[in-house]
Every structure is written in structure tokens, then in C-alpha cells.
Amino acid sequence: MNTANLRSLFIIFGGTGDLTHRKLIPAIYNLHYEGRLPDQFAVVGIGRRDKTPEEYLQDLYRAIKSFSRFPMDDTHWASLSKRIYYYQMDFTDASKYGELKTFLDDLADRHNTLGNQIFYLAVAPEFFEPIVKNLKDSLLCHGKSFWQRVVIEKPFGRDLQSAIKLNATIVDAFGEENTYRIDHYLGKEMLQNLLVIRFANLLFEPLWNRHYIEQIQLSSSETIGVEKRGPYYEQAGAIRDMVQSHMLQMLSLIAMEPPTSLTPEAIRDAKVTVLKQLKRMDRETVRKSVVRGQYGRSLDQQLLAYREEDRVSPTSNTETYVAMRLEVENDRWRGVPFYIRTGKRMPRKSTEVIIQFKDVHNNLYSHVPNLEPNLLVIRVQPQEGVFLQFNAKKPGNEDIIVPVQMDFCQNCEIGINSPEAYERLLYDVMKGDQTLFARWDEVYESWKFIDTILDVWKEEEPDFPNYPANTYGPKEADELLARDGKKWLNIHEPWTALGGK
């Protein structure tokens, strides 16, 4: 594998943080394990903690053992660890960036990286803007014969105006072509596979429209609470943490028109068109079509309420659950409801897309009781796969029709070890491929849509908590679908078990 053109310094602001330990360093180790990193490559973790280089490497060694998809191999680690450095620094202190530049220039010469640099901001959102300004002022992000790229974690702003301000700062320093707004959902195998499923199969694309599809549900549920992320979550909530980024990105992939090509810009053009075509909500529609929730104690009292979590206000009105009904106003989708829900402390962890097809017109078997609909289910996590549900005769002498499933689960089989999302995304940053990263106009349009909801929420006091931990959310979310004569479809394990709540 020719990796010479990937040579670079990978610089992590927040090098001692949870994201670095759980995702970034294991991803880099796995890329090294597979031989996908060049010899001319080094990692610099920047943090404020007082650590020796040896202590830092020990921390990363333990992180890789805990979170890598490949086993810790001492030969690989010996090779990689020689190219990992720790740099202690208060990254809010502008006067320290000159010394950082000298340090990085020395490493670039030592590892022959040609001045190519990736700055990954694995820090709290309030530090994005000052770090980028300091990088620009210290000339760390200006190169003529080499490149510098910046990777920004979500949330990208708190609302439209703050996102516009942050974007202006970043693009002024790095340019749009070197700005990578990361959404790790887009690196997941099945979301990448979605384009193949749609556009490489005559079976699906002709049916991918309002004439054949009854409804589409997008669900992302977690069993955990906020864990140690109380201060962050108090500022974000479910709508900023999940809906504005992950859920709307998933929707745009499902609903977009066939792109003119598979180039990054063509795909992102098609996605942003969907976001522009989302039917805008007025205040009354928000109240009617958007549900927010916050978990209380579980029914058995074993799980704490959100307001009892560490570093969460005991009177917090931050939502941990959001459900909404959306429509895409174009010829393909007009009238088809898209239902989104995401929440914490739910009965199972899953992210999935469920596409329900319409009933057969003049169905000869309409007299059969409880005839199930055709479903296409795309499982994003933790299982990765697809299954198609259709009706067939049950073997035997009686004419009994039952739903059956054809399924493909790519990470159920022994030997399948799918790359983690961050591996794919970090590798794409090194290659300069922005396909799986949000372009500014995508971020702009998603915030433009979400801002209307946030404005309405500011005016109303929610009745929290309104769902017990370890349940599927507030009853208002069920009522939201019941008004359309529908219900949430929960695909339980094993895959062949279909049912509602």
C-alpha cells in the first residue's frame, strides 16, 4: 500500500481526554496495525495535565488494550509509540503557541512529514474558536508547499448565529477546503453502505419514493445516561447532541436524490438539497410535531433521574429525548412522514432506519388478519446489517400467511471485524477526502431548521421528568404517531422478532 502521500503530524488538542483515549488513539493504532499509516507520521497529544512522556504512553497503552478492535501487539506498539509525543500546554494561553510551533517544526524535520499537519480539536466547544485564532496568529496554519487541516467535533455552534461566527473564524484560518466537521455517524459502515443499497440495486431505487413508501422511521437510542458528561450535556441536550448533526445527516442520506456522481461535492450537494427542502415548522407545528423528554428514575428506582446525575442541575430543563415528525417537500417525498427519535436511558442500544412500504393495491389477501407490512430495516449499530421483511405462506396444509425475513448481518459472523467509524474518518482526513464530512452549507441549513424549535422551547417550561429511565420515552411520542394511525416500530433481538412497544 502506497502511504507516502499521507505523511503528516497528527496534533490532538485534548490529548489526555476521553475522546482521545476511547476513539482517536485506538483508531490510529488500528490503522498502523493494518499497515495504513506512512513511516513519515507522528502524533502529538497536547494537554494541560502534568505528565511525563512515559506516563502518557502508559495511559495510551491501556486505552488501546481496552478500546482497540485489534489486540495489543507489542511489536506494533513499539513501532507506533516511538512516534507519539506529549506536549504540556495551556492552549488558552496565546503566548505559548510560538513555542508549540518550534516544537512541531522540529518534529516535522525529524519525521520528514514535509510540514503537513492535522489539528484535531478534541476539546470542549468553547475552546474551538480561541484555539483556531491562536493557530492562525502563530502562523501554524499557513503553508504554501504543504497542507494543514483542522478537524472540528460537534456540536458546531449552539445555534445558527454562533455557528456562523465559529465558521467565519475557522474558514478565515484554514479555508473551507481544509475544514473537516466530523460526524462519526457518517463513518459507520452501514451508513456508507446505504448509498450502495439504494443506487446499486434495481430492487430498491425504483421504489424509493412516495408512491411505494408509507413512512420512514429513524431511531437512535442509548441505554446509558449522561455518565461523566454532565456539564457538556447541560449545554447541548439531545437536540444539539444528536438531532442537529447525526439524525439530520442520516435523513439526508436516505432522502437525497441520486447524485450526479460519487465525488465528494456531488454527494454533499445532494444532501444539502434535502435539508433545504425540509418543510419548515411554525410555532404551532413545533408544539404539535416535536416532543421533548427527560428521564426520571426507573420504575424499580435503581437508575437515577437525569437531575440526579453528576454535575447536572437538580432543576435542569435539558432534554434527554427528542421525537419529531418531518416532511420533505419535493416530488419524491411529498406527503411521506419521516419520524425521528433519539433518547438516553432507553431499553436497548440501537441506531436503525426502518422503511415501511405501502400495502399492495387491491390486495387479494386483504382478508388475512394481521397481515404485516413490507419493511426494509438498515441497522447501523451495534449490529450492522440489513433485513427485508415480506409475507409468505407458512408451510403446512392451511393457508396461513406469516412475515419472513431475508437478512444480512455483516458483524454477526465470526471473523468480521468492521473498522470503527473514526478509523475511516481519520484516514479520509489524511487523504484529503471530505465526502463523509459536513460542508458548511449542510451545517447552516440544519441549524436553520433546528433554530425554530429552540426558539419555541425557550418560551415554554417543560414538564420534566416525563419518562422513566429504561422505557421508550414519553407518552406524547406515542401520541405523535398515533395521530397518523401509526406506532413506533421496535425491532428487537433476534432480528426476526418484530413488534411495537
Side-chain angles (χ1 to χ4, degrees):
M1 181 184 297
N2 182 14
T3 59
N5 60 339
L6 305 179
R7 62 178 67 190
S8 56
L9 289 181
F10 189 84
I11 302 139
I12 307 172
F13 284 89
T16 58
D18 190 62
L19 177 63
T20 298
H21 285 79
R22 286 177 175 267
K23 298 295 183 181
L24 302 183
I25 290 298
I28 289 171
Y29 172 82
N30 290 336
L31 290 171
H32 183 276
Y33 192 97
E34 292 186 318
R36 299 170 74 85
L37 293 182
D39 294 333
Q40 303 84 4
F41 180 84
V43 178
V44 180
I46 299 176
R48 290 183 283 192
R49 298 179 188 176
D50 184 12
K51 288 183 177 291
T52 66
E54 292 74 21
E55 288 172 335
Y56 187 61
L57 289 176
Q58 289 172 3
D59 289 345
L60 299 189
Y61 181 89
R62 288 190 289 268
I64 292 168
K65 287 191 72 173
S66 298
F67 302 113
S68 170
R69 68 187 177 96
F70 289 123
M72 171 56 79
D73 180 280
D74 287 341
T75 302
H76 283 288
W77 173 243
S79 172
L80 180 61
S81 63
K82 293 175 183 177
R83 293 183 274 163
I84 297 178
Y85 301 85
Y86 181 63
Y87 190 86
Q88 185 180 2
M89 171 185 169
D90 179 357
F91 42 74
T92 65
D93 186 346
S95 67
K96 300 297 183 182
Y97 281 76
E99 298 173 17
L100 174 63
K101 185 177 188 305
T102 301
F103 178 76
L104 296 179
D105 287 346
D106 178 65
L107 286 185
D109 291 338
R110 189 183 313 175
H111 292 279
N112 192 25
T113 60
L114 303 180
N116 298 332
Q117 294 174 327
I118 297 168
F119 297 99
Y120 199 113
L121 306 191
V123 294
E126 59 264 28
F127 296 119
F128 292 167
E129 196 166 349
I131 289 175
V132 170
K133 284 182 176 178
N134 288 330
L135 289 174
K136 180 191 176 187
D137 293 344
S138 60
L139 303 180
L140 270 162
C141 54
H142 291 278
K144 296 180 180 178
S145 59
F146 44 88
W147 49 258
Q148 293 85 31
R149 296 168 184 153
V150 63
V151 186
I152 306 289
E153 277 282 342
K154 69 171 179 67
F156 194 91
R158 282 188 46 79
D159 52 25
L160 181 58
Q161 289 307 311
S162 61
I164 290 173
K165 183 174 181 288
L166 174 60
N167 189 67
T169 300
I170 294 171
V171 172
D172 180 55
F174 286 90
E176 177 67 28
E177 70 279 6
N178 292 314
T179 300
Y180 290 74
R181 303 172 190 85
I182 194 167
D183 183 339
H184 70 271
Y185 267 45
L186 296 182
K188 293 185 180 295
E189 281 290 322
M190 287 314 301
L191 282 187
Q192 297 172 50
N193 211 347
L194 182 58
L195 298 186
V196 179
I197 292 169
R198 275 195 63 181
F199 302 123
N201 295 289
L202 183 63
L203 176 63
F204 296 122
E205 182 55 21
L207 306 181
W208 214 267
N209 56 65
R210 60 189 172 90
H211 300 295
Y212 300 100
I213 291 178
E214 175 71 22
Q215 63 162 326
I216 295 178
Q217 296 187 12
L218 298 86
S219 295
S220 183
S221 59
E222 296 182 286
T223 56
I224 60 172
V226 294
E227 296 184 303
K228 299 178 181 179
R229 302 170 70 216
Y232 161 76
Y233 207 82
E234 280 284 84
Q235 296 297 314
I239 198 165
R240 292 181 176 93
D241 186 50
M242 291 294 297
V243 179
Q244 183 272 332
S245 52
H246 302 328
M247 305 304 287
L248 290 185
Q249 283 287 331
M250 287 171 60
L251 186 148
S252 65
L253 283 171
I254 294 160
M256 73 183 196
E257 293 297 313
T260 56
S261 69
L262 292 177
T263 62
E265 291 312 301
I267 292 173
R268 297 200 290 180
D269 285 346
K271 286 166 59 187
V272 78
T273 298
V274 173
L275 296 173
K276 290 179 177 179
Q277 293 173 338
L278 286 175
K279 187 174 182 179
R280 302 301 166 181
M281 297 185 186
D282 57 23
R283 293 180 182 276
E284 185 56 36
T285 305
V286 170
R287 296 186 180 101
K288 179 180 171 183
S289 300
V290 183
V291 174
R292 56 176 161 165
Q294 183 191 92
Y295 63 84
R297 282 206 172 196
S298 57
L299 296 175
D300 62 6
Q301 301 296 303
Q302 296 301 304
L303 297 175
L304 296 178
Y306 174 73
R307 292 176 175 179
E308 298 174 309
E309 300 277 15
D310 184 38
R311 295 187 292 173
V312 168
S313 168
T315 59
S316 174
N317 282 330
T318 299
E319 78 286 349
T320 62
Y321 177 99
V322 177
M324 64 177 70
R325 182 189 191 278
L326 303 89
E327 292 187 23
V328 180
E329 289 191 297
N330 60 25
D331 287 341
R332 180 183 291 267
W333 295 114
R334 190 168 287 107
V336 177
F338 288 75
Y339 301 105
I340 284 178
R341 65 171 170 173
T342 181
K344 290 187 176 295
R345 284 295 186 210
M346 297 180 76
R348 66 191 184 95
K349 175 182 174 65
S350 73
T351 300
E352 61 198 13
V353 179
I354 304 176
I355 298 167
Q356 179 180 331
F357 294 94
K358 291 179 180 291
D359 294 335
V360 176
H361 182 61
N362 292 328
N363 191 343
L364 296 175
Y365 292 94
S366 59
H367 62 282
V368 176
N370 301 318
L371 196 64
E372 294 283 359
N374 295 156
L375 298 177
L376 177 66
V377 181
I378 300 165
R379 304 295 291 272
V380 178
Q381 66 173 12
Q383 289 184 327
E384 302 165 357
V386 183
F387 81 73
L388 179 65
Q389 174 178 286
F390 56 95
N391 292 304
K393 179 184 175 299
K394 183 178 181 180
N397 294 324
E398 297 185 34
D399 291 333
I400 299 176
I401 296 178
V402 294
V404 295
Q405 291 86 25
M406 296 177 62
D407 66 86
F408 162 64
C409 180
Q410 71 178 16
N411 66 345
C412 293
E413 299 177 21
I414 296 175
I416 298 295
N417 194 1
S418 300
E420 293 286 342
Y422 277 93
E423 292 174 42
R424 170 65 188 266
L425 295 171
L426 296 187
Y427 193 65
D428 282 354
V429 176
M430 296 175 202
K431 293 189 301 179
D433 184 347
Q434 293 184 310
T435 304
L436 301 178
F437 296 83
R439 200 168 61 190
W440 165 240
D441 51 358
E442 294 179 65
V443 177
Y444 178 90
E445 292 297 335
S446 62
W447 271 125
K448 187 177 176 182
F449 180 80
I450 294 298
D451 262 14
T452 302
I453 300 171
L454 293 174
D455 287 344
V456 175
W457 284 0
K458 289 175 186 175
E459 300 173 356
E460 300 178 352
E461 188 83 8
D463 184 19
F464 286 162
N466 60 354
Y467 71 97
N470 201 35
T471 65
Y472 275 107
K475 60 180 177 56
E476 289 82 2
D478 295 329
E479 295 167 357
L480 173 66
L481 272 69
R483 288 198 295 268
D484 291 341
K486 296 177 173 59
K487 64 180 181 180
W488 293 107
L489 300 172
N490 299 312
I491 311 299
H492 298 286
E493 310 305 338
W495 284 41
T496 52
L498 172 69
K501 280 184 59 171

